[in-house]
Amino acid sequence: VSYITLTTDFGTHDWFVGTMKGVISRLAPRTQVIDLSHEIPAGAIRTGAFALTAAYSFFPKKTVHLAIVDPGVGTGRRAIGIETSNYFFVGPDNGLLSWAVASEGIKAVHSLDNGRYFLPQLSATFHGRDLFAPVAAHLSSGVPLRKMGRHLKEFNRLPWPEAKQSRHGIAGEILYIDRFGNGITNIPSHLLPSQAGRLKIVLRRRHVCPVAPSYNAVPPQCPLGVVGSSGFLEIAINGGNAAEVLKLRVGLPIEVRKSEPRTTRVPI
Amino acid sequence: VSYITLTTDFGTHDWFVGTMKGVISRLAPRTQVIDLSHEIPAGAIRTGAFALTAAYSFFPKKTVHLAIVDPGVGTGRRAIGIETSNYFFVGPDNGLLSWAVASEGIKAVHSLDNGRYFLPQLSATFHGRDLFAPVAAHLSSGVPLRKMGRHLKEFNRLPWPEAKQSRHGIAGEILYIDRFGNGITNIPSHLLPSQAGRLKIVLRRRHVCPVAPSYNAVPPQCPLGVVGSSGFLEIAINGGNAAEVLKLRVGLPIEVRKSEPRTTRVPI
Amino acid sequence: VSYITLTTDFGTHDWFVGTMKGVISRLAPRTQVIDLSHEIPAGAIRTGAFALTAAYSFFPKKTVHLAIVDPGVGTGRRAIGIETSNYFFVGPDNGLLSWAVASEGIKAVHSLDNGRYFLPQLSATFHGRDLFAPVAAHLSSGVPLRKMGRHLKEFNRLPWPEAKQSRHGIAGEILYIDRFGNGITNIPSHLLPSQAGRLKIVLRRRHVCPVAPSYNAVPPQCPLGVVGSSGFLEIAINGGNAAEVLKLRVGLPIEVRKSEPRTTRVPI
């Protein structure tokens, strides 16, 4: 069995994703297709890049991770395939794949320009069906990446917003808001000082919550910081929706500070 | 081929469900995963319990039904596996599984505490990926449930809201509202007197509709009661949305009465 | 491996689709099920017919395309199966299948009335689970269509809204609005005169946009007409949502005219 994952902004209301699976099933009948998400906001390359980064490593080796958030479809933007030590990544060359491959050993990057591996007709608007799905299917069937197009020395990378040491602690930002309203930050757990119980999170110059080991370590409906399942600090509310209550949005700066024992909690 | 079904409140906007499928595909590559629903409202244990109850029996024997609506994740709440005559059920021990197993012969209940069957690292917030998905994968591959943890004599059960005989007929409540706006009640078809054409439904002290054999037995846009596909009485509108028009909500009391020939229909 | 596709208005919030997959997995364990869409608006037969038409031809031969948008469930409406040169189509006889099969060579049409291929109990409201899923499963396992019920000479067809020559060009209408807000029209690419760069689209008596080869052929946020991936003219906005900005809706008339060099662009 081999696997292809899909991460797109196509939604599931239309026939787009199903059609890509049809194309894959014709070319690679033994390949299983697994949806990561089709609800990346339209054109939101960074959101797609983060979702792929959070999920890709839980799949079997040799899985082909196909990601399409592609506002430049139909222009001259390149399509690329990247082979790493463990996986293949396929998508437009707009940075979408760059965060996920950053911690993988990159073995080769190729332009996807060999039309022999596309559908016979290439539409102007749906390369997911006509180019990416067939290329991913051929890769999952064992066709070597080097046959798909010319070798590339460079590809486009998105800058990763590094968390930084600040005067009072660590300064970061919200990267992603999930379905529960949790705000995932760019602060990895290893940057947090070890005495997590004594850390507090500051948003819009106000202390809003402590860092705690789990949702239930604070009373119901209280906000907290917690190291989430992706290994990053998340801002959450025990039993509630932090994005709504705290007005979180992607890009919002946050700071983690050591908690002074005498700090007064400011109402939010 | 073996099967795992998934019933969660994770939604499909993020990578959570896809990541669980990745974990399953690594541990049990021949297992097929089928989504029941990922749109259980966040933390709505009863809604999840009902969805599982309505669907589980249509799957092949030995299917592993994995359900996760788990507001207590990261606290000391137990994770359990239940083996019945026909299936396995896996989830948090908060009552979520209890309605579905109530009509199955329970063979054994085990705590899921043997970390050997988890992912190597257990996050505080995503036991779906780190504990439940691997346990379900191992079960579907044939590992016996008794190896997963200690035998339990008890587990948590949700009280089932029994429909009752009332002075004028049968008193029940709305249990679930589906995508079409149909309100599924807790009144099973076998409690309805046989002359269905002569029964009426009373909501908020008003007679709102007759019980009829199918949607089209009443004129378009008229409300009716109909025995739905789960075997319970449903309140629907022929070609319309009963939840919106009749302001149905989960928990709303309803009554079924024998229809007096002279009853005047009160406008709604 | 054999395939069944699903196109329904069932949504994915409830257990309906998952239950159908359970039924299929019991009867045809080697069949893969692929979702085309479950978000067809409730009862919108034409929308479902268009989605099926746009997608069906990308699947392997012998795929069983099961479509259910079935406001007449529980009445006497017929269920039908259609065998074409390449595929099987299964659904209610309300026109839903008729656009897709129009360009296929029809080999046989049968009523689905042989209860031997249904589930033992047929509910009044969920023929997707009790009738259509088992029939599709048996077809995908190789049971001949003729065993499913009597041969039919006729079935219900939806009129296709033909684009027409108008005094100034081609008159058509919006058929479908996709997740990106693109309005897909009924004007096939072969009706467009070849000098696409010189064509303009008229909506509500105003010239709103040129016809262009790709989204990026016009400046960002500008509207355009483009031949979409289904082979029909679409109205889109480069980087934006045409349905919202231009107030597109299904059925809205549009006209394509040859662009006069001196035409002044009217603000929208």
Side-chain angles (χ1 to χ4, degrees):
Chain A
V1 194
S2 55
Y3 295 91
I4 293 173
T5 74
L6 301 180
T7 304
T8 78
D9 62 356
F10 292 167
T12 54
H13 280 61
D14 310 304
W15 56 85
F16 305 141
V17 172
T19 308
M20 290 174 59
K21 293 177 181 171
V23 169
I24 292 169
S25 65
R26 282 209 299 198
L27 297 172
R30 305 195 51 202
T31 294
Q32 299 278 322
V33 181
I34 295 179
D35 300 304
L36 280 184
S37 173
H38 298 292
E39 304 298 337
I40 305 299
I45 296 170
R46 285 165 54 109
T47 302
F50 189 78
L52 187 60
T53 304
Y56 81 89
S57 67
F58 292 88
F59 285 81
K61 290 202 175 195
K62 299 295 166 201
T63 291
V64 178
H65 293 294
L66 171 53
I68 310 174
V69 179
D70 191 15
V73 63
T75 63
R77 71 92 187 85
R78 288 191 302 207
I80 57 172
I82 304 177
E83 183 172 358
T84 69
S85 311
N86 298 300
Y87 300 108
F88 295 96
F89 294 84
V90 172
D93 182 24
N94 58 16
L96 179 64
L97 311 177
S98 63
W99 288 353
V101 301
S103 49
E104 291 277 303
I106 295 179
K107 294 170 71 175
V109 184
H110 285 259
S111 172
L112 305 176
D113 49 32
N114 185 347
R116 181 178 160 184
Y117 297 101
F118 305 166
L119 290 197
Q121 290 214 318
L122 192 65
S123 69
T125 58
F126 194 6
H127 286 193
R129 179 191 69 191
D130 305 335
L131 186 159
F132 289 116
V135 162
H138 287 299
L139 278 175
S140 81
S141 302
V143 176
L145 177 59
R146 64 183 151 72
K147 293 202 170 179
M148 305 291 182
R150 69 184 191 284
H151 181 265
L152 297 178
K153 291 183 179 164
E154 295 295 332
F155 67 101
N156 287 313
R157 293 167 195 258
L158 288 181
W160 171 263
E162 286 286 350
K164 287 172 192 157
Q165 294 295 136
S166 62
R167 191 148 59 109
H168 300 293
I170 306 158
E173 65 182 78
I174 304 284
L175 273 187
Y176 188 96
I177 291 173
D178 76 15
R179 114 98 158 180
F180 298 100
N182 300 325
I184 305 177
T185 76
N186 63 338
I187 302 177
S189 57
H190 65 80
L191 278 193
L192 295 175
S194 52
Q195 72 279 49
R198 303 290 299 284
L199 298 175
K200 63 180 182 182
I201 292 179
V202 176
L203 274 187
R204 300 188 186 92
R205 302 195 186 175
R206 289 176 165 191
H207 162 209
V208 296
C209 58
V211 175
S214 79
Y215 300 135
N216 291 271
V218 300
Q221 305 308 321
C222 281
L224 75 155
V226 61
V227 175
S229 61
S230 313
F232 293 99
L233 184 69
E234 298 183 15
I235 299 176
I237 285 182
N238 181 11
N241 186 306
E244 284 177 12
V245 173
L246 299 173
K247 298 190 174 53
L248 304 183
R249 53 175 179 70
V250 171
L252 184 74
I254 77 146
E255 192 173 20
V256 180
R257 298 187 188 178
K258 283 197 186 173
S259 190
E260 302 299 322
R262 68 183 181 282
T263 301
T264 310
R265 169 92 178 281
V266 176
I268 53 172
Chain B
V1 194
S2 56
Y3 296 90
I4 293 172
T5 74
L6 301 180
T7 305
T8 78
D9 63 355
F10 293 166
T12 54
H13 280 61
D14 311 303
W15 57 86
F16 305 141
V17 172
T19 307
M20 291 174 60
K21 294 178 182 171
V23 169
I24 292 168
S25 65
R26 282 207 299 198
L27 297 172
R30 304 195 52 203
T31 293
Q32 299 279 323
V33 181
I34 296 179
D35 300 305
L36 280 184
S37 173
H38 298 292
E39 304 296 338
I40 305 299
I45 296 170
R46 285 166 55 110
T47 301
F50 189 79
L52 187 61
T53 303
Y56 81 89
S57 66
F58 292 88
F59 285 81
K61 289 203 175 195
K62 300 296 167 199
T63 291
V64 178
H65 293 294
L66 171 54
I68 310 174
V69 179
D70 191 14
V73 63
T75 64
R77 72 94 187 85
R78 288 191 303 206
I80 57 172
I82 302 177
E83 183 172 356
T84 70
S85 311
N86 299 301
Y87 300 108
F88 295 96
F89 294 84
V90 172
D93 182 23
N94 58 16
L96 179 64
L97 310 176
S98 64
W99 288 353
V101 301
S103 49
E104 291 277 303
I106 296 179
K107 294 169 71 175
V109 184
H110 285 259
S111 173
L112 304 175
D113 50 33
N114 185 347
R116 180 179 160 183
Y117 297 101
F118 305 167
L119 290 197
Q121 291 214 318
L122 192 66
S123 68
T125 58
F126 194 6
H127 287 193
R129 178 191 69 190
D130 305 335
L131 187 159
F132 289 116
V135 162
H138 287 299
L139 278 175
S140 81
S141 303
V143 176
L145 177 61
R146 63 184 151 71
K147 293 202 170 180
M148 306 292 181
R150 67 184 194 284
H151 181 264
L152 297 178
K153 290 183 178 163
E154 294 296 332
F155 65 102
N156 287 312
R157 294 167 195 259
L158 288 181
W160 171 262
E162 286 286 348
K164 287 171 191 156
Q165 293 295 135
S166 62
R167 190 149 59 109
H168 299 294
I170 306 157
E173 65 183 77
I174 304 283
L175 273 187
Y176 188 96
I177 292 174
D178 76 16
R179 114 97 158 181
F180 297 100
N182 300 325
I184 305 177
T185 76
N186 63 338
I187 302 177
S189 57
H190 66 79
L191 278 193
L192 295 175
S194 53
Q195 72 279 49
R198 303 289 299 284
L199 299 174
K200 64 180 182 182
I201 292 178
V202 175
L203 274 186
R204 300 187 184 92
R205 303 195 187 175
R206 287 177 167 191
H207 162 211
V208 297
C209 58
V211 175
S214 78
Y215 300 136
N216 291 270
V218 300
Q221 304 308 322
C222 281
L224 75 155
V226 61
V227 175
S229 60
S230 314
F232 294 99
L233 184 69
E234 298 183 14
I235 299 177
I237 285 182
N238 181 11
N241 186 306
E244 284 176 14
V245 173
L246 300 173
K247 298 190 175 51
L248 304 183
R249 53 175 178 70
V250 172
L252 184 75
I254 78 148
E255 193 174 19
V256 179
R257 298 187 188 178
K258 284 197 185 172
S259 189
E260 302 299 322
R262 68 182 182 282
T263 301
T264 310
R265 167 92 177 283
V266 177
I268 53 171
Chain C
V1 195
S2 56
Y3 296 90
I4 293 173
T5 74
L6 301 180
T7 305
T8 78
D9 62 355
F10 292 166
T12 54
H13 280 61
D14 310 303
W15 56 85
F16 305 142
V17 172
T19 307
M20 290 174 59
K21 293 177 182 173
V23 170
I24 292 169
S25 65
R26 281 208 299 199
L27 298 172
R30 304 195 51 203
T31 294
Q32 299 279 322
V33 181
I34 296 179
D35 300 305
L36 280 184
S37 173
H38 298 292
E39 303 297 338
I40 305 299
I45 296 170
R46 285 167 54 110
T47 302
F50 189 79
L52 187 60
T53 304
Y56 80 90
S57 67
F58 291 89
F59 285 81
K61 290 203 175 195
K62 299 294 166 202
T63 291
V64 178
H65 293 294
L66 170 54
I68 310 174
V69 179
D70 190 16
V73 64
T75 63
R77 71 93 187 86
R78 288 191 303 207
I80 57 173
I82 303 177
E83 183 172 358
T84 69
S85 311
N86 298 300
Y87 300 108
F88 295 96
F89 294 84
V90 172
D93 182 24
N94 58 16
L96 179 64
L97 311 177
S98 63
W99 288 353
V101 301
S103 49
E104 292 277 303
I106 296 179
K107 294 169 72 175
V109 184
H110 285 259
S111 174
L112 305 175
D113 50 33
N114 185 347
R116 181 179 160 185
Y117 297 102
F118 305 165
L119 290 198
Q121 290 214 318
L122 192 66
S123 68
T125 59
F126 195 6
H127 286 192
R129 179 191 68 190
D130 304 335
L131 187 159
F132 289 116
V135 162
H138 287 298
L139 278 174
S140 81
S141 302
V143 176
L145 177 60
R146 63 184 151 71
K147 294 202 168 179
M148 306 291 183
R150 69 184 192 286
H151 181 265
L152 297 177
K153 291 184 178 164
E154 294 295 332
F155 66 102
N156 287 314
R157 295 166 195 258
L158 288 181
W160 171 263
E162 286 286 349
K164 287 172 191 156
Q165 293 296 134
S166 63
R167 190 149 59 110
H168 299 294
I170 306 157
E173 65 184 77
I174 304 285
L175 273 189
Y176 188 96
I177 292 174
D178 76 16
R179 113 98 158 180
F180 297 99
N182 300 325
I184 305 178
T185 77
N186 63 338
I187 302 177
S189 57
H190 66 79
L191 278 193
L192 295 174
S194 53
Q195 72 279 47
R198 304 289 299 285
L199 298 174
K200 64 181 182 182
I201 292 179
V202 176
L203 274 187
R204 301 187 184 92
R205 301 196 187 175
R206 287 176 166 193
H207 162 210
V208 296
C209 57
V211 175
S214 79
Y215 300 136
N216 291 271
V218 300
Q221 305 308 322
C222 281
L224 75 155
V226 61
V227 175
S229 60
S230 314
F232 294 99
L233 184 69
E234 298 182 16
I235 299 177
I237 285 182
N238 181 12
N241 187 306
E244 285 176 13
V245 173
L246 300 174
K247 298 187 176 52
L248 304 183
R249 52 175 178 71
V250 171
L252 183 75
I254 77 148
E255 192 173 19
V256 180
R257 298 187 189 178
K258 283 197 184 174
S259 190
E260 301 301 321
R262 68 184 180 280
T263 301
T264 310
R265 170 94 176 281
V266 177
I268 52 173

